[in-house]
Amino acid sequence: MSIRGIDHSTSGARHAFTGFSSIAALCVGLGFAASAAANTSNGYNLPTGVTDLARDMYGLHMEVFWICVGIAVVVFGAMIYSLIKFRQSQGAVADTAMLHSTKVEVIWTIIPVIILVVMAIPAADLILKQEDTRNSELSIRVTGYQWKWEYNYMDAAEGIDFYSTLAQSSNFARQLRSGIDPFTVPNYLLDVDKPLVIPSGTKVRLLLTSQDVIHAWWVPDFGAKRSAIPGFVNELWFRVDPGKEGIYRGQCAALCGRDHGFMPIVVDVRTPDNFKKWVEEQKAAMKQAAAAAAAPPPTAQVLAN
Ligand SMILES: [Cu+2]
């Protein structure tokens, strides 16, 4: 709320206006924020996403939305019609005879129950689909820390393990009196040093846990969000559509302490072939690092000679 919103103006209308303008500014801001993200449907709605789960969620959300619109039209229509048609100036007299009607009560109980069941069936179906992590092709252990993520690959990429932290460019700019204008930093607070790399067209399963407090791994375009809780392992899956390779961004979605806003998520989706290449590169680099660590230091070699 702006300072104007809490001034001591005696005019109620002015209060209402400043309040409205703040809300309008907030809405515009949110609209811009949403349109800046990839794959949003129109900047004001949920992202349609790049996985079938995300699309199903979007479909369910729209289905429920239109049911709500229908209910609003019927209820407000009846109210407005009654207010206009039976107004006092037209000589309407209150009906005090109908104090109780079992028939009406039965009708207005059964209709909402039917509406709820109509909404619950596809919702339950989607929840079951979300929970079905069977036949995953790549599993990755994801551990939340204050304030970074660790990605530990399994299956074909077994052994690859790294931390993903806020990009240096954002980290420098966010410091108090850094002198850097955040607007000049690309993807400010949404970039990391090492993104999670995954293949497209592959059922990826994440095993989420935490080493300190509760975090939540959230990438809107994947329709993926789940808590990372110390001592628990939560599962999450998604399959990015082939042809939708690229960079996708998310954030920690559980208030996890001072730097909660500084542990973004970046996912680099590659074609299965490119992913295989990346795995080989990582494994080769790991082998090289292991060999360098095992080799005796140069001074030892000199002494041995
Ligand atoms: Cu967190």
Side-chain angles (χ1 to χ4, degrees):
M1 184 65 74
S2 68
I3 291 166
R4 282 189 303 148
I6 52 163
D7 68 6
H8 299 287
S9 157
T10 48
S11 157
R14 192 172 160 208
H15 272 287
F17 176 74
T18 50
F20 174 75
S21 61
S22 305
I23 292 167
L26 182 70
C27 291
V28 170
L30 288 175
F32 276 126
S35 61
N39 296 296
T40 45
S41 48
N42 57 19
Y44 292 98
N45 208 338
L46 292 178
T48 42
V50 293
T51 64
D52 56 346
L53 273 184
R55 268 192 305 277
D56 287 356
M57 284 175 204
Y58 183 82
L60 181 64
H61 153 74
M62 288 314 292
E63 198 179 310
V64 173
F65 172 77
W66 287 118
I67 291 173
C68 292
V69 168
I71 294 170
V73 166
V74 170
V75 171
F76 286 111
M79 269 173 64
I80 293 165
Y81 171 79
S82 311
L83 286 168
I84 293 169
K85 174 95 183 175
F86 306 108
R87 60 191 192 275
Q88 201 180 22
S89 61
Q90 295 298 298
V93 179
D95 178 6
T96 52
M98 200 190 87
L99 291 174
H100 180 83
S101 165
T102 310
K103 203 161 88 188
V104 169
E105 286 201 1
V106 167
I107 290 170
W108 74 36
T109 305
I110 287 177
I111 292 176
V113 166
I114 292 169
I115 295 171
L116 284 177
V117 169
V118 164
M119 293 198 286
I121 292 169
D125 215 43
L126 183 53
I127 288 172
L128 290 176
K129 192 173 168 183
Q130 273 179 287
E131 299 298 321
D132 185 6
T133 53
R134 287 173 301 173
N135 305 320
S136 63
E137 294 152 277
L138 173 67
S139 293
I140 304 166
R141 284 190 290 261
V142 179
T143 311
Y145 295 87
Q146 283 176 318
W147 288 272
K148 56 180 173 278
W149 295 99
E150 181 185 4
Y151 298 117
N152 192 323
Y153 287 70
M154 298 158 82
D155 301 318
E158 180 75 46
I160 298 175
D161 183 3
F162 58 86
Y163 291 90
S164 183
T165 48
L166 183 68
Q168 290 274 315
S169 53
S170 290
N171 202 27
F172 287 142
R174 81 181 178 95
Q175 305 301 327
L176 194 64
R177 288 187 279 278
S178 67
I180 303 167
D181 179 4
F183 287 104
T184 62
V185 179
N187 299 307
Y188 179 59
L189 300 185
L190 291 174
D191 226 351
V192 296
D193 53 354
K194 279 197 86 167
L196 172 68
V197 180
I198 58 157
S200 61
T202 306
K203 185 166 183 175
V204 178
R205 178 177 65 142
L206 300 188
L207 297 161
L208 293 152
T209 190
S210 167
Q211 280 289 352
D212 37 49
V213 299
I214 299 175
H215 301 271
W217 199 91
W218 176 43
V219 175
D221 284 314
F222 294 177
K225 181 184 183 189
R226 191 134 298 185
S227 296
I229 304 170
F232 287 83
V233 177
N234 280 342
E235 283 184 302
L236 172 73
W237 76 271
F238 47 81
R239 183 191 285 113
V240 177
D241 300 336
K244 292 285 184 188
E245 292 81 13
I247 299 287
Y248 295 94
R249 296 178 197 280
Q251 281 169 293
C252 175
L255 272 176
C256 61
R258 191 192 65 202
D259 286 357
H260 160 65
F262 309 112
M263 52 182 295
I265 296 157
V266 179
V267 186
D268 180 355
V269 182
R270 304 189 180 187
T271 58
D273 283 345
N274 282 343
F275 176 75
K276 225 178 252 171
K277 261 185 232 156
W278 177 82
V279 169
E280 278 158 20
E281 279 166 23
Q282 299 300 307
K283 286 192 170 170
M286 273 158 49
K287 233 182 232 169
Q288 218 170 9
T299 47
Q301 275 175 354
V302 172
L303 287 175
N305 289 339

